């Protein structure tokens, strides 16, 4: 066996293992695509040591994607849990909590804090309002969803107790 054959035999496995680097399992440090909304596999909870103590009423006047004390409205655990519970369909939940929607400032509607939005360039035909008690009581939460293609001139209003159709769009103020 020549000296070159011995060197090639020793180097080949090392070269092959180096060539395969970076093609194994992902390291988990890849950024999520814009507008990613995780599936509802488990209820969201605040990260340990980062309790969400800001009252929901502090969001009034802000857009849903504006961070108030570091957390956006739909990223609040209690709001995310209401969405998962009252909007079991993933497509509307993505529209509501996604970043591509056209939104208005959060407003008060009686004792509820409400966030209204609509599908970009399609506000008349697809819109929604998520309303939750200022004290974050999910029993008082309401989600209105309007999709003219499937609902015509009505909207679906959902609470923990029931879902019903009502005439018209979802409230925007």
């Amino acid at each position: 066996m020549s000296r070159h054959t011995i060197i090639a035999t020793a180097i080949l496995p090392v070269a092959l293992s180096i060539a395969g680097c970076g093609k194994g399992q992902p390291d988990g440090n890849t950024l999520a695509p814009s507008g990613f909304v995780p599936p509802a596999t488990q209820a969201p909870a605040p990260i340990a040591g980062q309790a969400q103590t800001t009252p929901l009423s502090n969001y009034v006047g802000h857009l849903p994607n504006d961070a108030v004390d570091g957390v956006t409205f739909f990223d609040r655990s209690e709001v995310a849990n209401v969405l998962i519970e009252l909007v079991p369909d993933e497509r509307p939940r993505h529209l509501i909590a996604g970043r591509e929607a056209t939104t208005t400032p959060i407003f008060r509607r009686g004792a509820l804090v409400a966030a209204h939005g609509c599908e970009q360039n399609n506000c008349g035909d697809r819109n929604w309002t998520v309303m939750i008690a200022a004290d974050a009581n999910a029993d008082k939460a309401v989600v209105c969803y309007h999709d003219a293609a499937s609902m015509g001139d009505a909207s679906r209003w959902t609470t923990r107790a029931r879902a019903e159709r009502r005439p018209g769009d979802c409230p925007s103020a």
Side-chain angles (χ1 to χ4, degrees), residues 67-133:
V68 175
D69 291 336
V71 182
T72 67
F73 185 75
F74 289 117
D75 288 338
R76 293 283 302 238
S77 297
E78 61 270 49
V79 177
N81 285 326
V82 161
L83 273 179
I84 289 168
E85 183 177 347
L86 300 183
V87 185
D89 233 357
E90 214 170 307
R91 182 172 167 22
R93 193 170 55 247
H94 280 261
L95 286 170
I96 292 168
R99 305 286 193 247
E100 296 83 25
T102 299
T103 59
T104 61
I106 294 172
F107 58 96
R108 294 293 297 244
R109 187 169 173 93
L112 303 174
V113 174
H116 175 77
C118 61
E119 185 177 49
Q120 198 172 44
N121 301 320
N122 195 21
C123 287
D125 288 340
R126 186 169 290 135
N127 57 75
W128 53 83
T129 305
V130 176
M131 298 172 269
I132 187 166

Side-chain angles (χ1 to χ4, degrees), residues 1-171:
M1 201 183 279
S2 75
R3 181 171 178 215
H4 294 291
T5 305
I6 294 172
I7 293 174
T9 306
I11 293 177
L12 184 60
V14 174
L16 289 175
S17 68
I18 291 173
C21 285
K23 295 187 183 187
Q25 297 296 321
D27 64 4
N29 291 326
T30 307
L31 293 176
S34 175
F36 173 75
V37 177
T41 55
Q42 68 182 43
I47 297 170
Q50 295 185 353
Q52 298 166 355
T53 57
T54 303
L56 283 177
S57 58
N58 284 15
Y59 286 83
V60 173
H62 294 274
L63 293 173
N65 292 325
D66 291 345
V68 175
D69 291 336
V71 182
T72 67
F73 185 75
F74 289 117
D75 288 338
R76 293 283 302 238
S77 297
E78 61 270 49
V79 177
N81 285 326
V82 161
L83 273 179
I84 289 168
E85 183 177 347
L86 300 183
V87 185
D89 233 357
E90 214 170 307
R91 182 172 167 22
R93 193 170 55 247
H94 280 261
L95 286 170
I96 292 168
R99 305 286 193 247
E100 296 83 25
T102 299
T103 59
T104 61
I106 294 172
F107 58 96
R108 294 293 297 244
R109 187 169 173 93
L112 303 174
V113 174
H116 175 77
C118 61
E119 185 177 49
Q120 198 172 44
N121 301 320
N122 195 21
C123 287
D125 288 340
R126 186 169 290 135
N127 57 75
W128 53 83
T129 305
V130 176
M131 298 172 269
I132 187 166
D135 65 0
N137 183 345
D139 288 332
K140 298 176 186 171
V142 180
V143 175
C144 173
Y145 183 74
H146 173 73
D147 180 3
S150 63
M151 299 174 189
D153 195 15
S155 298
R156 182 178 61 241
W157 290 68
T158 308
T159 65
R160 277 187 165 170
R162 68 176 188 264
E164 64 183 1
R165 288 175 67 111
R166 296 182 190 171
D169 291 349
C170 297

